[in-house]
Amino acid sequence: MNFFRHRRRPRWWPANQPWSPPKRQPRPFLRHIGCVFLLFPLGLCAFFTWLGYVIGRQGDFTSPYLYVPLVVFLLVILSIVVRILRSIAFPLDDLISAAGRVEQGDYTTRVRERGARELRGLTRAFNSMTERLQTNEQQRRNLLADVTHELRTPLAVIQGNLEGLLDGIYPADEDHLTPILEETRVLSRLIDDLRTLSLAESGTLKLHRELTDLTVLITETATSFRADADSRAIALRVETPNDLPLLDIDPVRIREVLTNLIANALRHTASGGITVSVALAAKKVEVSVSDTGEGISSDDLPRIFDRFYKSKESRGSGLGLAIAKNLVTMHGGEITAQSEVGRGTVVRFTLPIDNGK
């Protein structure tokens, strides 16, 4: 029973990592016990042989050869006990030492797997834990550096304009106050995006699901961008099927996803059009936002859902697509992108029709 229990994924094994069961091997401890039982009859034979030899010598214990078989047997037993202790104590000592280094902040610590099966499993879990800690620490440092970079530009603009106004270099007119107001809006959007992304990635963002007409939601979201699209002579179209079922989703969060995708398409489309379309598939709805913009290079395409990824000319925070990916994933869907330089981009995300309720 114990063997079959270890062939399944242990409860402590990370859910996002594949479980590879260890090969069936005899336990080191049982292997040593087997050696003891094998040597025990030989030891008894040696002991009785030695005892008969002693009796035959009629009480003469001065010969050193009397004790050689007994000493050899005791040494064998001692070596087996030492091997048992080594198979347990040494791996535990490695884990204790490694835990001390992790406590001091060294997340690159890894422990070599050895010893009994339980100890190897514990070591594997420890290495998985330190690997995740190292990844989280690197992400934290990258996030801090990215946030610092994103805050520096608007704060510099605000500071420069305010200093110019106070020194009398700039007049307090609309041309000089408008950039300050715009930069404060950039900071406000950045703070809101960071909060949403942080809650989504930590798993504390709560979805308020309700039956929603996705056609109405998409139409209302597209309408909010229509004035901007018309002013730039960009056609904004919505294509939805008539038999679209109601979806159990959080309409506020899905509106946020659509807003990010449409705004991103408008930002990178100089002429042509943007189409928001919906298609029905097996147990899911596929929403596509396609544009005829500048497109994304094949080198940058895999990174567009990363935090703070954006083109050099973009004025966004670089968090929109990262937020969209997290919100879609929380709904049980997937989001992908296809693009070709000079021919536009298509971003698709799916929403399940049946949420398992």
Side-chain angles (χ1 to χ4, degrees), residues 56-338:
R57 293 190 56 91
Q58 298 178 354
D60 184 10
F61 299 98
T62 58
S63 175
Y65 298 105
L66 293 176
Y67 303 99
V68 171
L70 184 61
V71 170
V72 171
F73 179 71
L74 292 177
L75 288 177
V76 171
I77 297 299
L78 181 62
S79 65
I80 294 175
V81 172
V82 169
R83 289 188 61 185
I84 295 175
L85 294 177
R86 284 165 59 93
S87 67
I88 299 176
F90 283 14
L92 283 178
D93 182 68
D94 292 343
L95 285 170
I96 294 172
S97 177
R101 294 196 298 272
V102 172
E103 182 184 12
Q104 297 174 0
D106 183 9
Y107 300 133
T108 62
T109 303
R110 302 291 186 272
V111 181
R112 181 169 64 91
E113 296 182 19
R114 60 172 175 166
R117 183 185 306 176
E118 289 80 2
L119 289 174
R120 294 199 305 272
L122 179 62
T123 301
R124 195 179 308 166
F126 180 87
N127 290 336
S128 177
M129 178 193 69
T130 55
E131 183 177 356
R132 292 199 303 274
L133 287 174
Q134 183 181 5
T135 301
N136 292 338
E137 176 66 14
Q138 186 62 43
Q139 290 177 346
R140 184 189 67 83
R141 293 181 180 180
N142 292 340
L143 178 60
L144 182 60
D146 291 336
V147 170
T148 303
H149 174 75
E150 291 298 323
L151 291 175
R152 184 182 296 114
T153 300
L155 287 176
V157 174
I158 294 173
Q159 180 180 355
N161 281 277
L162 288 177
E163 289 177 350
L165 292 172
L166 292 174
D167 294 340
I169 299 176
Y170 303 142
D173 55 13
E174 182 178 354
D175 292 338
H176 293 90
L177 292 177
T178 300
I180 297 177
L181 179 60
E182 180 60 30
E183 295 302 330
T184 59
R185 290 171 177 168
V186 171
L187 287 176
S188 178
R189 288 196 299 268
L190 177 60
I191 292 172
D192 291 340
D193 289 346
L194 283 172
R195 181 177 181 275
T196 301
L197 185 62
S198 175
L199 292 175
E201 291 187 343
S202 64
T204 57
L205 182 64
K206 302 299 182 183
L207 296 180
H208 301 283
R209 295 178 179 267
E210 58 183 71
L211 291 178
T212 304
D213 189 334
L214 190 60
T215 299
V216 174
L217 182 62
I218 293 176
T219 302
E220 291 178 350
T221 306
T223 301
S224 65
F225 289 94
R226 197 167 299 281
D228 186 17
D230 292 342
S231 66
R232 299 167 54 185
I234 297 175
L236 180 56
R237 295 181 294 271
V238 175
E239 300 175 355
T240 59
N242 296 326
D243 56 345
L244 191 63
L246 297 179
L247 299 182
D248 187 25
I249 59 176
D250 185 334
V252 175
R253 296 304 179 183
I254 296 301
R255 183 189 297 272
E256 189 173 354
V257 173
L258 291 168
T259 298
N260 281 325
L261 297 184
I262 296 175
N264 199 56
L266 277 172
R267 191 178 299 120
H268 297 281
T269 302
S271 61
I274 298 173
T275 302
V276 183
S277 60
V278 180
L280 285 172
K283 295 186 178 181
K284 65 181 179 180
V285 171
E286 183 180 88
V287 182
S288 302
V289 178
S290 58
D291 62 65
T292 58
E294 60 196 31
I296 305 171
S297 67
S298 57
D299 294 334
D300 294 334
L301 188 60
R303 301 170 47 211
I304 64 172
F305 295 106
D306 295 344
R307 290 179 298 188
F308 294 104
Y309 169 80
K310 61 180 182 179
S311 60
K312 296 180 180 179
E313 60 275 4
S314 175
R315 288 288 294 151
S317 64
L319 295 175
L321 291 179
I323 292 174
K325 179 180 180 179
N326 279 274
L327 294 179
V328 170
T329 302
M330 290 178 63
H331 280 82
E334 297 179 350
I335 186 168
T336 58
Q338 294 177 339

Side-chain angles (χ1 to χ4, degrees), residues 43-61 65-70:
L44 285 179
C45 292
F47 175 75
F48 284 116
T49 301
W50 172 78
L51 184 61
Y53 182 74
V54 169
I55 295 175
R57 293 190 56 91
Q58 298 178 354
D60 184 10
F61 299 98
Y65 298 105
L66 293 176
Y67 303 99
V68 171
L70 184 61

